[in-house]
Amino acid sequence: MARPSLKDQRAEEILTAFARCVARFGLDGATLERISEEAGVARPAVRHFVGNREELVQALISHVEQDYTRKLDILFSWLPGQGRVQAIIDLLFDPAYFSTSDDVALAQALTAASRQYPAAGKILRRWVVSFDDRLFTELQTAFPSRKEDALRAVSFGIISLYFNVDALSPLDVPSRMADAAKSAALRLVDSLET
């Protein structure tokens, strides 16, 4: 396998710095000065390795999509052959699986900027729909006799509980809240048993 080029490496470092700046200052507050300082490169290097502001935003959106998709693929690849729905819930509500404060802030900043940057909204929406579709498929496999609307409601409920707990994780809320969210998710799944 070929070694990544210096340009690719620098671009990755700059995008990582840009993501940290967006998490701290929002998309508009992540200026070229802040990005270059965070990346430890001169401001002209940001343009050289990634491009202008628009190209930088597009590269970040693509970077985020690849990262989120990779994480979703990993989540589903960890599932065992049996008891997959229980395993998903166990993973989602395990504090070790929660996003970092910067990841949560980045997602919130991109969501907040999605009207100004429709590509960001499109990427995030596509990822959430993919997450919902994959969880729905797992529920459909586990509960083949249940109607689609019931499965969709449970899938969305589980995802909503996860996103809520994940978004609150930077606050170091008591573990009982994550435990309660997991219990609620399991109750939703139990509702498919009846």
Side-chain angles (χ1 to χ4, degrees):
M1 183 193 304
R3 281 180 43 173
S5 71
L6 178 61
K7 180 176 172 62
D8 291 343
Q9 181 181 343
R10 288 287 186 254
E12 182 68 25
E13 292 167 357
I14 290 167
L15 287 174
T16 299
F18 185 29
R20 284 194 300 266
C21 288
V22 170
R24 287 189 209 122
F25 307 110
L27 202 49
D28 289 335
T31 63
L32 289 176
E33 292 82 17
R34 285 179 170 154
I35 297 165
S36 64
E37 184 178 315
E38 182 71 28
V41 299
R43 184 177 165 181
V46 174
R47 288 184 185 270
H48 174 75
F49 289 111
V50 182
N52 64 28
R53 175 73 180 184
E54 190 61 34
E55 291 168 323
L56 192 60
V57 171
Q58 292 302 322
L60 177 65
I61 291 168
S62 177
H63 179 77
V64 167
E65 179 181 29
Q66 290 170 4
D67 184 50
Y68 285 10
T69 300
R70 181 185 56 79
K71 288 176 181 174
L72 195 58
D73 289 344
I74 289 169
L75 169 70
F76 282 89
S77 75
W78 284 345
L79 300 178
Q82 299 291 322
R84 291 173 67 87
V85 172
Q86 176 70 46
I88 291 170
I89 292 172
D90 289 344
L91 284 169
L92 289 177
F93 295 97
D94 180 340
Y97 190 76
F98 295 155
S99 301
T100 66
S101 295
D102 278 356
D103 288 340
V104 169
L106 175 62
Q108 290 172 345
L110 290 175
T111 299
S114 64
R115 287 221 160 89
Q116 183 180 0
Y117 297 94
K122 183 178 178 182
I123 295 298
L124 292 171
R125 186 172 37 259
R126 185 167 54 215
W127 182 82
V128 169
V129 169
S130 174
F131 190 2
D132 182 55
D133 287 344
R134 290 176 82 169
L135 182 54
F136 167 80
T137 299
E138 293 294 337
L139 291 168
Q140 192 175 45
T141 300
F143 303 97
S145 64
R146 299 302 295 187
K147 292 185 178 181
E148 181 176 347
D149 62 336
L151 297 168
R152 288 276 179 207
V154 169
S155 178
F156 183 73
I158 292 168
I159 289 172
S160 297
L161 288 163
Y162 165 70
F163 283 154
N164 189 48
V165 171
D166 193 53
L168 294 174
S169 65
L171 300 177
D172 292 325
V173 295
S175 61
R176 66 179 165 78
M177 293 177 139
D179 294 343
K182 179 178 179 179
S183 177
L186 291 170
R187 287 178 187 220
L188 285 171
V189 172
D190 287 347
S191 75
L192 296 172
E193 300 275 1
T194 59

